[in-house]
Amino acid sequence: MNLMNQLEPKNAMTEAPLRLTELSHGGGCGCKIAPAVLSEMLAHMPAAQPFANLMVGTETADDAAVWRLNDEQALIATTDFFMPIVDDPFDFGRIAATNALSDVYAMGGTPIMALAIVGMPVNKLPLEAIGRILEGGASVCAQAGIPVAGGHSIDSPEPIYGLVALGIAHPDIIKRNADAKEGDVLILGKPLGVGILGSAMKKGVLDADGYAQMIATTTKLNTVGPALAKLPGVHALTDVTGFGLLGHLLEVCRGANLGATVQASDVPVMPAAVPFAKQGIGPGAIARNLASCGDAVRFDEGVAEWQRSVLADAQTSGGLLVACDAASADTVLETFRAGGFADAAVIGLIHSGPAEVRIAG
């Protein structure tokens, strides 16, 4: 079925076809509240009471909470939802579900079940299109081998979809941001540029190949997470989403109280995103992310403006970022590539010093 016909309102004879992205003020993980603003919002939250079985909570800015069930099992719990980053309802559902499950994989876990989070403008969006969003999410969960076992829905002015995702892992392989070590190599599993391509799409300048690149990366499950977490040399694991590579790497540095250096030219970027980045096309989240990083991120003079934008670009369903000892780097890359992540690359190094990120040209 043609997408424009699918989203055509009842009075389509007099009105232009409806696009999902026109119904929301932002899209994908670019909707996330900026890190600096979020920190200010949470600044006066009371300290969490100690719970002996809470292995990971809010203290290390990790991807999910982890609760020890017993000596062999830990429960991973996370939630993620956002507004449309694309106009195709089925693709929107797939991207949102893939992104939500990524948080489980990033902790080294295997998903076991999901619950749907649904907010839809039911008087604006045809029920058939809403159904396609849910089908897209369910198809990804089926690919991951888990059920969508329930959920909650509301009538909202903007379309919102995502998942509560639950997973299981052995307590000994849970990977936290705070566990990166001095001398670790940084490896990124997916190329950057999702937010930039999404902005190009909204402007009507993204061609079919560029859209295909965006969909291919945002709907690829990070199922390699558990295999990476079991490698003895892997110390920290996170996924790169709305705060961009810079923001999420800075969380790793702050958690471990270490610095990092990234070689800008080594960071994988989707080919279609490069010309748009050079034209200054990208989501507003880029500026927010750069502002939130502040002086904690330093760029060498040789780093081009477009590269700075790419490094701060808000990723939706982005790649896993691994900190591992140098001796394990080849094994980590082989594990990524065996899982179908051909763009995985070494991008930098964790080192002593203040919790800052230097971008080398």
Side-chain angles (χ1 to χ4, degrees):
M1 177 179 293
N2 182 275
L3 175 61
M4 290 299 102
N5 291 336
Q6 186 176 24
L7 297 183
E8 205 169 22
K10 292 180 179 179
N11 58 347
M13 293 183 65
T14 58
E15 295 184 9
L18 195 64
R19 297 174 60 191
L20 276 181
T21 54
E22 291 178 345
L23 293 173
S24 59
H25 72 282
C29 287
C31 299
K32 292 177 73 169
I33 295 173
V37 177
L38 185 60
S39 295
E40 186 174 347
M41 289 169 54
L42 300 175
H44 302 293
M45 286 284 290
Q49 295 180 358
F51 292 91
N53 290 323
L54 183 62
M55 296 180 61
V56 182
T58 60
E59 64 284 345
T60 52
D62 273 290
D63 300 290
V66 182
W67 184 270
R68 182 190 297 271
L69 297 175
N70 51 55
D71 290 343
E72 301 294 324
Q73 294 176 310
L75 176 67
I76 301 169
T78 183
T79 182
D80 216 312
F81 54 90
F82 46 63
M83 291 165 280
I85 188 174
V86 295
D87 291 315
D88 183 282
F90 190 76
D91 283 346
F92 170 41
R94 288 200 298 157
I95 293 168
T98 306
N99 180 75
L101 294 180
S102 183
D103 287 341
V104 173
Y105 294 125
M107 299 304 297
T110 300
I112 58 172
M113 182 174 68
L115 305 173
I117 300 169
V118 183
M120 294 291 158
V122 294
N123 291 328
K124 296 181 180 178
L125 196 58
L127 297 183
E128 183 182 4
I130 297 173
R132 289 292 285 166
I133 294 171
L134 303 183
E135 289 172 20
S139 73
V140 165
C141 289
Q143 183 183 348
I146 65 170
V148 179
H152 186 69
S153 61
I154 63 169
D155 185 355
S156 67
E158 295 181 298
I160 297 169
Y161 177 69
L163 299 176
V164 173
L166 302 176
I168 290 288
H170 193 288
D172 292 346
I173 71 164
I174 295 296
K175 302 301 177 186
R176 303 185 311 155
N177 288 343
D179 295 331
K181 301 183 184 302
E182 183 178 347
D184 276 354
V185 170
L186 292 168
I187 298 177
L188 180 62
K190 288 184 182 182
L192 303 181
V194 173
I196 291 167
L197 291 180
S199 294
M201 188 205 71
K202 289 182 180 181
K203 291 179 176 291
V205 294
L206 184 66
D207 62 17
D209 179 63
Y211 185 78
Q213 288 181 37
M214 181 172 68
I215 296 300
T217 191
T218 54
T219 60
K220 184 169 181 56
L221 287 164
N222 282 318
T223 51
V224 72
L228 292 169
K230 291 174 184 175
L231 296 175
V234 171
H235 300 138
L237 191 61
T238 190
D239 66 343
V240 177
T241 55
F243 299 158
L245 175 63
L246 296 181
H248 290 285
L249 177 54
L250 195 54
E251 289 178 336
V252 172
C253 291
R254 287 169 173 165
N257 197 28
L258 293 168
T261 295
V262 170
Q263 185 67 42
S265 58
D266 291 340
V267 177
V269 183
M270 283 181 282
V274 174
F276 295 123
K278 291 181 176 180
Q279 296 171 45
I281 293 175
I286 289 177
R288 295 196 299 271
N289 287 340
L290 286 171
S292 292
C293 290
D295 295 336
V297 172
R298 295 178 292 108
F299 296 94
D300 286 2
E301 289 186 5
V303 180
E305 195 66 34
W306 72 267
Q307 291 175 305
R308 302 181 188 208
S309 295
V310 168
L311 294 171
D313 184 32
Q315 302 305 289
T316 298
S317 190
L320 296 179
L321 178 65
V322 179
C324 67
D325 61 44
S328 301
D330 286 344
T331 303
V332 169
L333 287 171
E334 290 169 4
T335 302
F336 266 123
R337 286 164 187 160
F341 295 86
D343 293 300
V346 174
I347 64 168
L349 184 72
I350 296 287
H351 50 71
S352 63
E356 298 176 349
V357 177
R358 173 194 165 214
I359 308 300

